[in-house]
Amino acid sequence: MNTKMKFKIGEFSKLCQVTVKTLRHYEEVGLLIPIEVDEWTGYRYYDISQLRRMNRIVYLKRLGFSLEDIFDIFEESLQMPTEEMIRMKIAQSENEIQSLIWRQTELVKLETMLHKQENIMEKVFEKSLPSRVFATHRRKIDSYQEMFNLCPNIIGPEMRRLGCECPEPQYCFTIEHQTEYGKDIDIEYFEAVDKRGEDSELIKFKVLPEVPVALCIKHYGAYEKMPETFAELYSYAEANGYEPTELARFNYIDGIWNKESVDEWLTEIQLPVRK
């Protein structure tokens, strides 16, 4: 006559390679209840069938299923997840892979930045901005990508129609008029031209006076990281007793139009100031 084999909780934890604490938790949530609890000693006993069930729990957890998912699978007397559950877990895994790839890429960039700090973020410097005549265009946009489509497809053709010439040294920049983040980007584009022309519906001509002192810093890379550069710029201004007098100018030197890598994008932020 075969005697049913039973294991104390410690023995069972060693066989399954899970902690006693985990087994007690699974008992509390009703996922794996001992076949017997001695009323005098409180000893818990498990059998061979529960060893198989425990192995299945471990396997499904490694596949990314939650304890709630596993409980539902067992409640429906299933040995494995349904095809629909598996497809959902595959899609979730793909999203997690992309998230991990992004995290790895950002960590590598951060490591590079720490090793080459001076190349990634140059120090603040001062310069004057001369008085120039500018062809300007202002509108609200949803993203900077829209601005880069706007320049070659709308602003550029209109400037050519108006006969605008851009003398050396060429100088173009944008300023942002919105007062808070989350609203449409209220952007104004400026490009230096040789003379003031006739305003059109799209292009207005303005003469900006000289800016005697502007604090400038070069930002390399994606525009989403500009807050880090702003922190450097304004920290320098505060530490050296400067007060902003106008909105910051974004002088886009290199970008999507001439560089393949985002890391090569270069924007000079120019902040007019006074002491």
Side-chain angles (χ1 to χ4, degrees):
M1 181 177 180
N2 292 332
T3 303
K4 193 168 186 179
M5 192 175 296
K6 296 187 295 185
F7 306 96
K8 292 181 179 179
I9 191 168
E11 296 172 318
F12 193 74
S13 75
K14 286 193 290 184
L15 287 171
C16 299
Q17 296 184 354
V18 297
T19 65
V20 169
K21 181 179 179 181
T22 297
L23 291 173
R24 291 188 183 278
H25 176 64
Y26 289 174
E27 179 184 353
E28 290 174 3
V29 299
L31 188 59
L32 188 69
I33 300 173
I35 59 164
E36 180 184 334
V37 178
D38 189 289
E39 62 178 321
W40 299 106
T41 64
Y43 290 163
R44 286 160 167 74
Y45 295 93
Y46 298 84
D47 66 8
I48 295 296
S49 68
Q50 290 176 306
L51 183 60
R52 296 193 186 97
R53 184 181 176 101
M54 186 68 243
N55 289 336
R56 184 60 49 83
I57 293 171
V58 171
Y59 176 67
L60 292 175
K61 280 196 66 185
R62 291 182 64 190
L63 292 180
F65 289 95
S66 67
L67 293 183
E68 291 78 8
D69 293 333
I70 297 170
F71 185 86
D72 291 340
I73 292 170
F74 290 157
E75 278 290 290
E76 296 177 16
S77 300
L78 299 173
Q79 293 301 310
M80 284 293 184
T82 64
E83 188 175 350
E84 181 182 0
M85 294 176 72
I86 293 172
R87 283 199 301 266
M88 290 176 62
K89 192 57 64 178
I90 290 172
Q92 180 183 337
S93 297
E94 289 173 349
N95 290 334
E96 290 172 355
I97 289 170
Q98 293 305 314
S99 177
L100 286 172
I101 290 173
W102 175 87
R103 182 191 299 175
Q104 182 186 45
T105 301
E106 290 300 307
L107 286 170
V108 170
K109 288 181 181 178
L110 181 59
E111 183 182 34
T112 302
M113 183 185 73
L114 293 176
H115 288 160
K116 301 180 179 179
Q117 186 71 26
E118 293 302 319
N119 293 332
I120 298 297
M121 190 75 70
E122 295 185 9
K123 296 300 181 183
V124 177
F125 57 96
E126 298 179 14
K127 70 178 181 182
S128 62
L129 306 176
S131 176
R132 302 283 294 271
V133 179
F134 292 92
T136 74
H137 176 80
R138 181 174 174 178
R139 70 164 60 192
K140 291 183 178 181
I141 59 176
D142 294 327
S143 68
Y144 293 104
Q145 183 64 43
E146 186 178 343
M147 187 68 199
F148 299 138
N149 293 328
L150 196 64
C151 290
N153 297 325
I154 296 178
I155 297 176
E158 179 67 0
M159 288 180 63
R160 288 192 291 272
R161 188 186 74 80
L162 296 173
C164 295
E165 297 288 341
C166 301
E168 297 294 339
Q170 293 189 5
Y171 179 36
C172 64
F173 64 89
T174 63
I175 61 175
E176 297 179 12
H177 294 278
Q178 73 272 12
T179 57
E180 61 181 280
Y181 179 78
K183 303 293 184 181
D184 291 335
I185 304 172
D186 185 356
I187 202 164
E188 189 170 8
Y189 176 83
F190 292 77
E191 184 153 359
V193 294
D194 60 343
K195 62 182 179 180
R196 186 164 195 158
E198 193 74 27
D199 288 353
S200 71
E201 184 177 348
L202 290 175
I203 299 295
K204 310 298 180 186
F205 290 90
K206 296 180 180 180
V207 178
L208 296 187
E210 177 190 11
V211 175
V213 181
L215 295 182
C216 304
I217 189 168
K218 293 182 179 179
H219 172 85
Y220 292 90
Y223 305 128
E224 291 80 2
K225 294 182 178 294
M226 276 192 181
E228 300 169 16
T229 312
F230 271 120
E232 292 279 333
L233 181 61
Y234 279 94
S235 294
Y236 180 93
E238 181 180 64
N240 291 276
Y242 289 100
E243 178 186 353
T245 58
E246 300 176 27
L247 294 172
R249 300 179 181 185
F250 299 88
N251 180 19
Y252 298 101
I253 300 170
D254 294 309
I256 193 173
W257 57 91
N258 68 338
K259 297 295 182 182
E260 293 184 3
S261 172
V262 173
D263 294 335
E264 295 181 298
W265 294 4
L266 171 58
T267 306
E268 185 176 285
I269 302 174
Q270 304 167 340
L271 181 65
V273 293
R274 65 173 172 233
K275 275 199 172 183

